[in-house]
């Protein structure tokens, strides 16, 4: 006797997935991950580059402020210190300024009235102030401290997040189409994007762009990435321009457009090294305006500025190719005559400068003023083999010339 036939097992078709769905999910996950990683890499690279430029700008701003407040610190004039800091208060991204004297006591302090838009970013990018020592004739006379804030970073971060989110949304819609293509056709376009992101992250190649890929969705993605790179390149160019402008302002006198003391010190050391290597000679001319304080007192500071500009113009007219001139103080100028040969006689150059500055200068008030200068000469290596010795010799010669001028 046989029993009933057993019932065949029922296949659970509904629990299985199709290869198309599996590939769709796989491609979607891989694409989403790759693009998210690329977007994050570009964003991090941009923030890193921006932080570097912001740090450099804060440092240059501090050096500029140190140059601006140096004369005021010499005379311990808080009002003049505040005036020297005035250009820095107009620079975006500076939240606070403080000037200390040589014993560490505050001379003046300025805080931006604008609120910090993102204190968390400020704590990350600017955890401590940039401090620069203010020096006068090689001695520290004070310190300037500069605090930054997130006002120059917040817009970029917001834009980067929005652009990254847009890229991810475009990728999500494009994945449905990409899943139907062969693996090679999918991996190759993504490789192009990854290569651009790789160059941006490792080599800061913000000029790189995603080329047309032949796939509409990825071309849209590449366009968004290119737009983000355009923003990064724009920020890079803007920060480089600001850095160049701050670097120029930190090494040049704003009134006469001549190099300042810092630039002169660097140039003198370089000339000494080259002269030692070649066995050459060069000369320093230390030029100081006579009775310049009287011109300021009698005609005003605007007239004094006009006289200084005229004096600087006379100095520039006498320079040869290869010579160097700088304004190192209020009415003090230095000229480096290099190389020193038979055709370059320091005394002749000094007499040409004296003759030029003796011409009447038209002042803003309608008056005229005839300036006079005292000039001291020091020759390398005869009068000194280092910067300190040369400056000391030239300064002493200048004061000797000033005494002669007074006795006439």
């Amino acid at each position: 006797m046989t029993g009933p036939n057993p019932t065949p097992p029922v296949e659970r078709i509904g629990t299985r997935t199709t290869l198309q769905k599996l590939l769709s999910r796989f491609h979607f996950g891989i694409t989403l991950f790759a693009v998210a990683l690329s977007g994050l890499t570009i964003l991090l690279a941009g923030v890193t580059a921006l932080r570097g430029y912001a740090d450099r700008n804060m440092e240059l701003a501090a050096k500029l402020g140190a140059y601006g407040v140096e004369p005021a610190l010499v005379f311990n004039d808080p009002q003049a210190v505040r005036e020297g800091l005035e250009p820095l208060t107009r620079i975006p991204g500076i939240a606070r300024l403080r000037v200390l004297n040589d014993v560490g006591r505050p001379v003046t302090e300025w805080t931006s009235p604008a609120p910090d838009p993102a204190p968390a970013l400020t704590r990350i990018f600017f955890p401590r102030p940039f401090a620069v020592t203010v020096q006068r004739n090689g001695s520290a006379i004070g310190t300037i401290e500069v605090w930054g804030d997130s006002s120059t970073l917040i817009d970029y971060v917001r834009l980067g997040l929005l652009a990254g989110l847009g890229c991810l949304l475009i990728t999500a819609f494009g994945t449905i189409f990409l899943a139907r293509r062969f693996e090679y056709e999918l991996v190759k376009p993504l490789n192009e994007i990854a290569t651009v992101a790789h160059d941006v992250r490792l080599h800061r190649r913000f000029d790189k762009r995603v080329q047309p890929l032949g796939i509409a969705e990825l071309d849209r993605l590449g366009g968004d990435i290119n737009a983000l790179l355009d923003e990064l390149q724009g920020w890079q160019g803007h920060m480089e321009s600001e850095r160049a402008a701050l670097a120029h302002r930190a090494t040049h006198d704003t009134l006469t457009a001549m190099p300042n003391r810092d630039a002169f010190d660097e140039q003198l050391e370089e000339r000494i090294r080259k002269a030692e290597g070649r066995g050459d000679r060069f000369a320093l001319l230390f030029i100081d305006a006579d009775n310049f304080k009287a011109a300021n007192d009698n005609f005003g500071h605007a007239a004094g500025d006009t006289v200084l500009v005229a004096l600087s113009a006379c100095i520039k007219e006498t320079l040869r190719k290869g010579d160097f001139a700088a304004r190192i103080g209020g009415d003090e100028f230095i000229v480096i005559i290099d190389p020193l040969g038979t055709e370059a006689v320091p005394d002749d150059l000094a007499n040409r400068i004296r003759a030029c500055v003796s011409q009447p200068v038209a002042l803003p008030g309608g008056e005229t003023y005839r300036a006079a200068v005292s000039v001291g000469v020091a020759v390398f290596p005869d009068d000194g083999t280092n910067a300190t010795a040369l400056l000391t010799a030239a300064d002493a010669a200048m004061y000797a010339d000033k005494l002669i001028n007074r006795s006439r």
Side-chain angles (χ1 to χ4, degrees), residues 59-142:
E59 181 182 355
L60 291 174
K63 290 182 177 179
L64 175 63
Y67 176 73
V69 303
E70 177 190 346
L73 282 176
V74 172
F75 296 99
N76 195 23
D77 187 349
Q79 177 61 31
V81 171
R82 286 191 289 271
E83 293 175 358
L85 292 179
E86 178 62 25
L88 298 186
T89 63
R90 297 190 293 269
I91 298 178
I94 294 182
R96 183 183 171 195
L97 301 167
R98 185 170 67 173
V99 177
L100 308 174
N101 60 16
D102 56 343
V103 297
R105 294 180 179 176
V107 177
T108 188
E109 185 172 352
W110 173 86
T111 302
S112 173
D116 190 347
L121 283 179
T122 300
R123 288 192 294 271
I124 294 173
F125 287 95
F126 306 105
R128 57 186 179 274
F130 290 84
V132 171
T133 301
V134 183
Q135 295 186 344
R136 176 73 173 182
N137 296 329
S139 299
I141 60 174

Side-chain angles (χ1 to χ4, degrees), residues 209-231:
R209 295 295 182 270
V210 178
Q211 301 301 319
L213 304 172
I215 301 176
E217 290 79 6
L218 286 184
D219 279 339
R220 290 168 59 192
L221 173 62
D224 287 336
I225 292 177
N226 288 342
L228 182 59
L229 289 173
D230 288 338
E231 293 290 336

